[in-house]
Amino acid sequence: EAPTMARANLLQKSIYVAAHFGRVDIVQSFVHLFENSLANIVSEYLTLQSNYHSLNKEKVDAIESLFTESFRGLRKLGLREEIGRLYSGVESLIEKHEPYAKKQRQAKNTKADIDATRPLRLLLCVASGWYYFGQDQRAGVIVEEVRSLLLSADMTPIEQKDLACAYVNCVSHAPVDYAVGMIKELFQCE
């Protein structure tokens, strides 16, 4: 296993355990390591996506778990500032990569084993955090981009299903009236 993947797995488990036992001091030291590794972890994630094949699924899932589970542990301890820095870092790193991902999504001859929507699923994880902290406008920018893509239905059925599930999970953190409207809209599409 690549050093980046091993580090991501170890960080996820370490943050989870320290948060479970309420050890804010230890969690903060792991968050510092996470921040220092963030560029490598996101880069590895995006590389796995652009060279995606079924053997990489476990690695991709491990990185997504790192973000979802770690952020959950940090929220439990009320580490808003730390989460904000991590969310901003992930968002910035993915946005730097996004022009390439958009080209992949728009390419008519994209290989079937490349899921160019996966970076958007990671951004939806970030957006759900922004909703959680009441930064609806910031989350809305990401959600609107994904919403437009979902409603255009310009992707494989599997990609659309996976992105729609991540989208619903994300908007479930938004204010209730808004979330219900966004979810209903998906079911009104043909």
Side-chain angles (χ1 to χ4, degrees):
E1 192 168 295
T4 300
M5 291 305 303
R7 188 176 194 96
N9 283 324
L10 186 58
L11 279 168
Q12 188 268 325
K13 288 171 178 44
S14 300
I15 290 171
Y16 174 82
V17 170
H20 176 76
F21 288 105
R23 296 295 310 267
V24 175
D25 56 327
I26 295 173
V27 169
Q28 287 176 325
S29 68
F30 289 136
V31 167
H32 180 71
L33 291 172
F34 192 179
E35 286 176 307
N36 290 339
S37 303
L38 193 60
N40 289 336
I41 292 169
V42 172
S43 176
E44 178 78 10
Y45 178 85
L46 296 173
T47 299
L48 288 169
Q49 290 312 305
S50 54
N51 301 318
Y52 187 78
H53 56 80
S54 59
L55 299 175
N56 287 343
K57 183 175 181 347
E58 188 176 320
K59 293 177 182 178
V60 169
D61 290 344
I63 292 175
E64 288 177 355
S65 176
L66 167 67
F67 288 104
T68 57
E69 297 302 318
S70 297
F71 290 158
R72 188 174 296 134
L74 297 174
R75 283 195 305 251
K76 176 184 171 188
L77 296 175
L79 299 175
R80 295 175 68 100
E81 186 177 311
E82 289 82 351
I83 294 170
R85 286 194 315 264
L86 289 169
Y87 283 156
S88 294
V90 171
E91 192 173 16
S92 172
L93 290 165
I94 291 177
E95 285 174 353
K96 286 179 188 173
H97 173 79
E98 194 51 22
Y100 174 72
K102 282 183 182 176
K103 285 180 189 174
Q104 278 188 321
R105 286 193 300 272
Q106 293 168 352
K108 298 297 180 201
N109 60 353
T110 299
K111 294 188 326 190
D113 61 349
I114 294 175
D115 182 350
T117 65
R118 204 92 190 226
L120 292 175
R121 288 163 43 193
L122 192 57
L123 275 177
L124 286 170
C125 174
V126 171
S128 68
W130 292 136
Y131 279 133
Y132 182 82
F133 288 115
Q135 296 189 23
D136 298 354
Q137 212 170 14
R138 201 163 179 183
V141 172
I142 296 167
V143 167
E144 184 55 37
E145 179 183 352
V146 173
R147 178 185 160 277
S148 296
L149 183 62
L150 279 171
L151 296 178
S152 76
D154 190 26
M155 62 191 90
T156 69
I158 291 173
E159 288 174 337
Q160 190 172 24
K161 183 242 341 152
D162 290 343
L163 188 59
C165 288
Y167 175 84
V168 168
N169 183 50
C170 173
V171 298
S172 71
H173 293 89
V176 172
D177 292 338
Y178 178 75
V180 169
M182 299 297 275
I183 294 168
K184 277 184 178 179
E185 181 180 41
L186 287 180
F187 290 101
Q188 294 171 354
C189 295
E190 293 183 14

